[in-house]
Amino acid sequence: MPILLDTTKAPVLQRLLDETDTTGLTWSIEPGGAQALPSAEVVVAGIANLEHAGPQELSFVANPRYQSQLIDAQAAVVLVTAEVAQAYRDSLAQAGRADQALPLVVCNSPYLLFARIGQWFDRQLHSQPAGAIHPSAVVAPGAIVDPSAHVGPLAVIEAGVEIGPRARIGAGCVVGEGCRIGADTVLHPRVTLYRGVSMGARCVILSGAVIGDDGFGFAPDPSRAKGAWTKIPQFGGVRIGDDVEVGANTTIDRGALDDTVIGNGVKIDNQIMIGHNCRIGDHTAMAACVGIAGSTTIGQRCSIGGAAMIGGHLKIGDDVFISAATPVHSNIDKPGQYTGFFPMTEHAQWERNAVAVRHLATMAKRIKALEKK
Amino acid sequence: MPILLDTTKAPVLQRLLDETDTTGLTWSIEPGGAQALPSAEVVVAGIANLEHAGPQELSFVANPRYQSQLIDAQAAVVLVTAEVAQAYRDSLAQAGRADQALPLVVCNSPYLLFARIGQWFDRQLHSQPAGAIHPSAVVAPGAIVDPSAHVGPLAVIEAGVEIGPRARIGAGCVVGEGCRIGADTVLHPRVTLYRGVSMGARCVILSGAVIGDDGFGFAPDPSRAKGAWTKIPQFGGVRIGDDVEVGANTTIDRGALDDTVIGNGVKIDNQIMIGHNCRIGDHTAMAACVGIAGSTTIGQRCSIGGAAMIGGHLKIGDDVFISAATPVHSNIDKPGQYTGFFPMTEHAQWERNAVAVRHLATMAKRIKALEKK
Amino acid sequence: MPILLDTTKAPVLQRLLDETDTTGLTWSIEPGGAQALPSAEVVVAGIANLEHAGPQELSFVANPRYQSQLIDAQAAVVLVTAEVAQAYRDSLAQAGRADQALPLVVCNSPYLLFARIGQWFDRQLHSQPAGAIHPSAVVAPGAIVDPSAHVGPLAVIEAGVEIGPRARIGAGCVVGEGCRIGADTVLHPRVTLYRGVSMGARCVILSGAVIGDDGFGFAPDPSRAKGAWTKIPQFGGVRIGDDVEVGANTTIDRGALDDTVIGNGVKIDNQIMIGHNCRIGDHTAMAACVGIAGSTTIGQRCSIGGAAMIGGHLKIGDDVFISAATPVHSNIDKPGQYTGFFPMTEHAQWERNAVAVRHLATMAKRIKALEKK
């Protein structure tokens, strides 16, 4: 399914780039070969992956691994680094096809430029709902909804909530007492915020996410029954910074007494669980299915691979990369990559190795004994 | 709690089988011993597990492991293979109790026949809501809802949606702009479909599932802050075939540029995460808590065990069986079973073995050194 | 953010303790040093962690590890054991600061007392909605809602439901046909109960939880296509005892023929998956992201660490502790702690060790060969 604008909205390349946010980017249009349109006439009606892009679609090469696809590309224009541009022209020249070169945008970061152009397309394609409260929404008296904000059908906004300019609350969301939603923040349909959750500007919260639910806190209560537990009410809140994304069906517990804190620019994928009183540093990103037990602090700019499981009361420093499927049970002070999972093999081989793993400590002793002899 | 029809609906055995879909099955009723009802008079008022089935309930032996329970069973009739039937009669004869034999239905696949009879019971027990749109639902002008389809209370159907014949949209669902729902497909309560999701006929989507949410795509954006990310809008859709089941609180991301694709007959359990641009082949089944990172292709007829975690940009062929709790970080071309997890032991033993694991590479070298001597 | 009562509600210490449920606790107020307020005058306006507690806030030392923080604490009063009290007074005396001792409540279980005082605060701070059905809720005729129960906005209550005294159904919940909700049970917003779920008194179900969804049951159906499956309808229910907590976005499958059963006092954290026909014994607690496959029985008073994955058709006895991130694939009869995960190291070291793991069985043989020489 191509991502296409209707023809009245498709701009020429130069206008598209003028209207794109290119902060931090350097770029220049390089004309194509004789057979290409002059770059001033290149119309960009859509965006696509290089292998599917047609003659009115913009594409990109973010990873030099894919540059070999470029030689047969059909795109209107391609975003590339200077190195990829040079390799492309050299390959075409060697093949005697220099006149077939496509127009390029040579850029210090084609992937970032592509992201920004994508945001431009997104604004054209998906009009934001106008600032209005759907008549089926249930908004408590005293909730403050900025006149430019939008509240979707069947949403519930409880007392004391403040919703900032241009924020959008999707269909079926529940925003609990006293929550604060910053400017331009978007709650997709069916998000739940418990009471007292605050979040900054430009956040995106995906459907099914639950933020501010009770942390898992119980005290042993043998007076009721052997092994019984009694609930420790969770009084803390959740504070979320600016530019945070929270994935679908992710859960972020409220703190027990102090708050759970998510820093600016943190990106949290789907089905992640963040326990009470965790603190996540700015710009840390975590892939789907990660779990973080309570009271753990994670530094800035960390990457947490999918399904990594991080224990409670730990301290992970800045710039740490945890591999996917890795359980973390100790503090990490030093930047770097950390890994721990049993490597997959064919099942029969795993069975033999698994037997050996169970006797590893003994094996170690036997080696020692052999060395002594 | 027995699964019982009211007496007016309980059929005799022959009629039950006549009304059951037995495509692909061969079966015959075998009369019981002298003390059993003639099979033409066996009334089936309910279905139950063998150990609980009473004299008006149908049961089954799907796994020969459980055939020893048969000798003391009280059921009205039992579905069995020819082998199990023979063993049952032999055991009764040896015990001098041949006249106590229950009526049997001898069948090439008792489990499949049981499933089909279960579907018959399900239709009797759980009447489908009549085709109607609940007055509390919010249906956008221009959405096309087949007159035989049902939309439950407080559901939201956005513009451009098409809902096919006899489809049912549960209470509190949100169906985003332009989604297409095939005939006889059922969305249980509180399902969310983002814009542009299409699904075929006879699908079942369980509560809390989120389909078509944004894939997790960000470009590094150092112009804003060290380590900052900017969102890559996700333009692709999700295409789901016929006869697909999606479990409760499962999430399936929309594609970045191309679509995420789920083949026909795929069965997806609860709390599974499928990343953007994944392609899942026909009839593949995956147990709960599986995670699949973006752009991975999985073949047909695969089985993915619970909590297996599959990395991104991988290719898994047809007929592959991934064991539960196994992380997959490389392509798999060859059919077969693949496994990788650390075997559980008592904690003290694990602690000793875990120390040795950390020094395994060194141990390997020491063994080599010993061998050289 | 301090947890503070308004001044009209802040009690003196003695009254607070009189109004707190202290069943099973022994406690006494011990006066502070000369500079402290007489304990009869200590006003408790809030509760806080020891490091943040100010002169009107109550705090506690549950873990002797944190007792060193006590010497500099500023709290109004601190809950401690007799041992911690003694150590505190000794330390102050040594430092020549005996007159600065804070008032203490000496107690056999400070953590339990703290939980109970927290519950007192919770009642003051978070008034329960009055018994009423919000006009936007959709309640089927024939559903029985106790007059003292509360049904929030946009909730759906289907036919045949019974909701007990003082129970509260949050905004946007869907309570399916024939469910029974016991007295004082609370469903947070956006919980889904399928038909026929029963739960006892004083349960707490967090947002996004789905209870009673179809178990994952399919029979191979080669008559339709190679590798195809057909659904086995799930007729069983879910029975939940008293005092159970179910976390956010957790899913509990209904049984296939028999019920899924959750015992009294079971505490289930977020994003947990419990398969069909599981039986969980009284007072067992499980941390987030645990998965339990179908038909597994878990005993009483077990602790299941976060992200532990338990296979199907297993039997785990009483008082078993499964470590976090541990896969369980066999029965466990004996109480004790069980563990199995690959220990994390720096990535380069893991890579070397992972290579060795793949050859472990061979290594074991080579050691044997060396020993023979």
Side-chain angles (χ1 to χ4, degrees), chain B residues 22 68 88 96 162 179 186 192 247-248 269 277 349:
Chain B
T22 53
S68 63
Y88 173 56
E162 292 181 30
C179 286
V186 181
T192 306
D269 198 356
N277 298 107
Q349 191 187 338

Side-chain angles (χ1 to χ4, degrees), chain A residues 190 192 194 231 253 339 366, chain C residues 119 188 190 270 347 371:
Chain A
R190 286 207 322 100
T192 306
Y194 278 59
K231 185 175 177 79
D253 285 354
T339 307
R366 286 159 60 195
Chain C
Q119 291 165 3
H188 289 181
R190 287 208 317 102
N270 293 357
H347 182 73
E371 285 170 335

Side-chain angles (χ1 to χ4, degrees), chain C residues 1-66:
Chain C
M1 201 173 59
I3 316 307
L4 285 174
L5 301 175
D6 68 51
T7 47
T8 60
K9 287 184 177 169
V12 293
L13 177 58
Q14 183 68 49
R15 203 194 103 207
L16 173 64
L17 288 162
D18 288 347
E19 292 184 2
T20 294
D21 169 14
T22 53
T23 317
L25 290 163
T26 58
W27 56 274
S28 61
I29 297 176
E30 305 222 345
Q35 292 178 21
L37 280 179
S39 44
E41 291 173 22
V42 170
V43 170
V44 181
I47 55 179
N49 281 326
L50 200 51
E51 60 176 314
H52 298 137
Q56 290 216 312
E57 291 169 312
L58 173 145
S59 193
F60 67 104
V61 178
N63 187 330
R65 237 187 343 164
Y66 296 111

Side-chain angles (χ1 to χ4, degrees), chain B residues 1 3 23-25 47-49 51-52 60 65-66 109 111-112 114-122 125-126 134 136 153-154 171-172 188-190 204-208 243 245 248-249 265 267-271 282-289 301-303 306-307 319 324-325 330 341-348 350 354-355 357-368 370-371 373, chain C residues 136-138 154-156 158 172-174 190-192 194-196 208-210 213-237 249-253 256-259 271-274 277 289-291 309 313 322-323 326-332 334 337-345 349 352-353 356-357 360 363-364 366-367 370 373:
Chain B
M1 200 173 59
I3 317 306
T23 316
L25 290 164
I47 54 179
N49 281 325
E51 61 177 313
H52 298 136
F60 68 104
R65 236 187 344 164
Y66 296 112
S109 177
Y111 197 48
L112 178 55
F114 172 72
R116 300 268 186 78
I117 290 174
Q119 291 165 3
W120 184 94
F121 266 80
D122 196 42
L125 286 163
H126 304 117
H134 194 277
S136 64
L154 302 171
H188 289 180
R190 287 208 318 102
V204 179
I205 315 294
L206 275 65
S207 293
D243 300 298
E245 181 152 330
N249 284 349
K267 306 300 182 190
I268 298 172
D269 198 356
N270 293 357
Q271 304 214 24
D282 293 356
H283 310 302
T284 282
M286 44 188 98
C289 304
R301 297 175 304 277
C302 293
S303 291
D319 301 298
S330 53
F341 59 84
F342 199 102
M344 180 194 78
T345 58
E346 292 189 22
H347 182 73
W350 172 82
V355 168
V357 162
R358 288 167 183 273
H359 299 97
L360 254 189
T362 319
M363 271 171 70
K365 279 188 201 156
R366 286 160 61 195
I367 294 175
K368 214 167 197 174
L370 285 165
E371 285 170 335
K373 282 191 202 171
Chain C
S136 65
V138 176
L154 302 171
V156 175
E158 297 191 349
C173 287
V174 176
R190 287 208 317 102
V191 164
T192 305
Y194 277 61
R195 70 180 145 80
V210 175
D213 57 283
D214 291 356
F216 196 64
F218 298 91
D221 189 353
S223 72
R224 292 221 306 238
K226 186 180 167 194
W229 303 93
T230 200
K231 186 175 176 80
I232 298 172
Q234 304 287 301
F235 295 104
N249 285 348
T250 279
T251 56
I252 303 177
D253 284 354
L257 290 168
D258 302 323
D259 291 343
Q271 303 213 24
I272 284 174
M273 161 60 187
I274 299 182
N277 298 107
C289 304
V290 163
M309 290 293 158
H313 296 270
I322 308 290
S323 300
T326 293
V328 180
H329 289 82
S330 54
N331 294 339
I332 301 179
K334 222 175 83 184
Q337 184 177 0
Y338 296 82
T339 308
F341 60 84
F342 199 102
M344 181 194 78
T345 58
Q349 191 186 339
R352 290 189 299 269
N353 292 333
V357 161
L360 253 190
M363 272 171 69
R366 286 159 62 196
I367 294 174
L370 285 166
K373 282 191 204 172

Side-chain angles (χ1 to χ4, degrees), chain A residues 268-335:
Chain A
I268 298 171
D269 198 354
N270 293 357
Q271 303 215 25
I272 284 174
M273 161 61 188
I274 299 182
H276 52 180
N277 298 108
C278 284
R279 304 178 76 91
I280 313 293
D282 292 355
H283 309 302
T284 281
M286 44 188 97
C289 304
V290 163
I292 308 178
S295 299
T296 281
T297 296
I298 295 183
Q300 300 191 2
R301 297 175 304 277
C302 293
S303 291
I304 318 287
M309 289 293 158
I310 304 181
H313 296 271
L314 299 180
K315 232 178 147 163
I316 313 290
D318 295 338
D319 301 298
V320 167
F321 176 14
I322 308 290
S323 299
T326 293
V328 179
H329 289 83
S330 54
N331 293 339
I332 302 179
D333 305 322
K334 221 176 81 184

Side-chain angles (χ1 to χ4, degrees), chain B residues 162-301:
Chain B
E162 292 181 30
I163 297 177
R166 297 171 305 281
R168 287 176 283 139
I169 310 298
C173 287
V174 177
V175 180
E177 226 176 287
C179 286
R180 285 159 186 242
I181 313 281
D184 299 298
T185 281
V186 181
L187 271 54
H188 289 180
R190 287 208 318 102
V191 163
T192 306
L193 307 186
Y194 278 60
R195 68 179 147 81
V197 171
S198 74
M199 62 181 72
R202 297 174 303 279
C203 294
V204 179
I205 315 294
L206 275 65
S207 293
V210 175
I211 303 179
D213 57 282
D214 292 355
F216 196 64
F218 299 91
D221 189 354
S223 72
R224 292 220 307 237
K226 186 180 166 194
W229 303 93
T230 199
K231 185 175 177 78
I232 297 173
Q234 304 288 300
F235 294 104
V238 178
R239 276 184 289 136
I240 294 179
D242 295 328
D243 300 298
V244 170
E245 181 152 330
V246 175
N249 284 349
T250 279
T251 55
I252 302 178
D253 285 354
R254 67 187 316 107
L257 289 169
D258 303 322
D259 291 343
T260 302
V261 180
I262 311 291
N264 293 318
V266 171
K267 306 300 182 190
I268 298 172
D269 198 356
N270 293 357
Q271 304 214 24
I272 283 173
M273 161 60 187
I274 298 181
H276 52 179
N277 298 107
C278 284
R279 303 179 76 92
I280 312 293
D282 293 356
H283 310 302
T284 282
M286 44 188 98
C289 304
V290 163
I292 307 178
S295 299
T296 281
T297 296
I298 295 183
Q300 300 192 2
R301 297 175 304 277

